[in-house]
């Protein structure tokens, strides 16, 4: 117990795509450096509601954020607020939605693209927006840039909890569907970049968890209740998680699991046990 924890959210990565196209991650599973489970995402299978689920341990019907268009500062105890109260530090490389949810102010890209403030709700952050994304130029920023930024935060500040969130699989899935070659190839690009990040994090005392908020369907959409939307991978580079291989994990367990890995008690609102 007591390692630092990095959570990687690969936005929109289907469970089956992770298993067939993420050769680095699956090589780690085959070599017993990591384990993989199928996790069931909550409903609706929409990003902001599930970012909130992942960090509060509450399903959207309980935390109340049911649409990306309704995003607001989280009113619930969450991984970031619990760590802050315990005097621990956090870091984010991810979409600006995470600032809106957990950083205590409205997001302004010129004010918040880079945050280094030990007193802030999230101590160290590098945010991106989706401004300018389109089908002709769908994959910026580079996965290697994001992984390198995450590594720089870990190397320079060693936050106790580090979140890396990448949007490119979701973006390509919307453009080319969850069954298109462009979507699957992007999953391999993400996997390839993670092959450079995860060993560095492991060598620096991080346990690493890799998951998705939701999957992607054949229409290039997500929100509903199909296996390709609700089944996401949960991959752990950690000796702390010992649940059986064939267990179907509940997405609400991620928050209490991260806190348990950091030796922090879960708040009573997280009324689902950790997946340990
Ligand atoms: Zn999406």
């Amino acid at each position: 117990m007591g390692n630092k924890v990095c959570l990687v959210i690969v936005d929109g990565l289907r469970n089956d795509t992770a298993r067939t196209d993420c050769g680095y991650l699956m090589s780690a599973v085959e070599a017993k450096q990591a384990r993989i489970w199928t996790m069931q995402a909550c409903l609706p299978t929409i990003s902001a509601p599930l970012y909130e689920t992942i960090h509060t341990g509450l399903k959207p019907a309980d935390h109340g954020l049911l649409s990306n268009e309704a995003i607001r500062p989280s009113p619930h105890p969450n991984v970031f607020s619990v760590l802050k109260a315990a005097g621990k530090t956090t870091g984010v490389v991810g979409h600006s939605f995470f600032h809106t949810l957990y950083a205590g102010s409205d997001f302004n890209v010129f004010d918040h693209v880079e945050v280094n403030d030990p007193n802030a709700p999230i101590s160290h952050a590098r945010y991106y927006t989706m401004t300018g994304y389109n089908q002709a130029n769908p994959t910026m920023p580079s996965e290697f840039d994001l992984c390198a930024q995450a590594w720089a935060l870990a190397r320079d500040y060693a936050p106790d909890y580090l979140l890396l969130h990448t949007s490119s699989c979701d973006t390509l899935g919307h453009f080319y569907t969850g069954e298109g070659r462009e979507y699957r190839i992007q999953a391999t690009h993400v996997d390839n970049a993670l092959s450079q990040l995860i060993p560095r994090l492991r060598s620096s005392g991080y346990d690493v968890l890799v998951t998705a908020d939701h999957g992607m369907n054949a229409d290039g959409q997500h929100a509903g209740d199909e296996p390709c939307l609700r089944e996401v991978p949960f991959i752990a580079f950690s000796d702390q998680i010992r649940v059986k291989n064939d267990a179907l994990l509940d997405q609400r367990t991620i928050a209490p699991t991260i806190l348990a890995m950091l030796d922090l008690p879960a708040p009573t609102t997280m009324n689902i046990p950790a997946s340990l």
Side-chain angles (χ1 to χ4, degrees):
M1 293 287 191
N3 281 4
K4 298 184 288 289
V5 175
C6 175
L7 175 68
V8 180
I9 300 177
V10 184
D11 206 297
L13 179 63
R14 291 163 53 139
N15 185 50
D16 57 350
T17 305
R19 292 169 186 263
T20 56
D21 291 85
C22 293
Y24 160 66
L25 291 172
M26 296 311 295
S27 79
V29 172
E30 192 171 84
K32 301 192 185 308
Q33 297 163 357
R35 296 175 65 200
I36 185 168
W37 294 262
T38 297
M39 175 170 275
Q40 184 164 46
C42 293
L43 288 173
T45 47
I46 298 174
S47 289
L50 297 180
Y51 303 161
E52 180 78 324
T53 290
I54 287 169
H55 285 91
T56 64
L58 297 167
K59 63 181 183 291
D62 292 335
H63 64 58
L65 177 55
L66 295 158
S67 162
N68 287 342
E69 284 65 37
I71 191 165
R72 80 297 185 251
S74 178
H76 305 288
N78 59 74
V79 170
F80 294 101
S81 68
V82 171
L83 265 74
K84 183 72 182 170
K88 294 185 178 289
T89 56
T90 57
V92 172
V93 174
H95 190 273
S96 63
F97 276 8
F98 289 99
H99 179 99
T100 304
L101 286 166
Y102 305 116
S105 65
D106 291 340
F107 180 77
N108 179 304
V109 66
F110 289 91
D111 292 336
H112 303 122
V113 67
E114 182 170 322
V115 176
N116 287 303
D117 180 357
N119 298 315
I122 297 175
S123 316
H124 303 285
R126 307 290 183 265
Y127 296 108
Y128 58 86
T129 73
M130 303 295 280
T131 308
Y133 276 61
N134 57 54
Q135 196 158 358
N137 185 18
T139 59
M140 58 163 187
S142 146
E143 295 306 314
F144 275 87
D145 293 354
L146 293 178
C147 284
Q149 283 184 313
W151 168 242
L153 291 190
R155 179 196 61 205
D156 295 344
Y157 304 105
D160 296 289
Y161 173 62
L162 174 62
L163 171 66
L164 168 61
H165 164 255
T166 161
S167 291
S168 62
C169 282
D170 181 77
T171 304
L172 273 284
H174 285 299
F175 290 144
Y176 299 106
T177 87
E179 296 178 2
R181 64 184 290 274
E182 295 86 351
Y183 170 80
R184 291 192 299 273
I185 290 170
Q186 190 59 27
T188 70
H189 290 322
V190 175
D191 176 74
N192 185 36
L194 290 176
S195 77
Q196 299 290 301
L197 173 64
I198 290 175
R200 285 176 164 84
L201 291 174
R202 296 291 283 148
S203 298
S204 300
Y206 277 87
D207 281 6
V208 180
L209 310 174
V210 182
T211 191
D213 47 354
H214 53 71
M216 184 65 65
N217 70 16
D219 294 332
Q221 190 52 279
H222 55 84
D225 187 6
E226 298 174 67
C228 63
L229 300 178
R230 296 202 71 181
E231 290 180 4
V232 295
F234 185 80
I235 300 164
F237 293 74
S238 172
D239 297 330
Q240 301 193 60
I241 300 179
R242 301 192 180 91
V243 293
K244 290 190 298 184
N245 287 340
D246 59 356
L248 176 64
L249 302 187
D250 186 314
Q251 194 171 38
R252 294 175 298 165
T253 64
I254 294 177
T257 299
I258 290 169
L259 295 177
M261 292 169 76
L262 292 166
D263 277 341
L264 293 172
T268 56
T269 50
M270 297 181 189
N271 57 6
I272 188 165
S275 288
L276 291 179

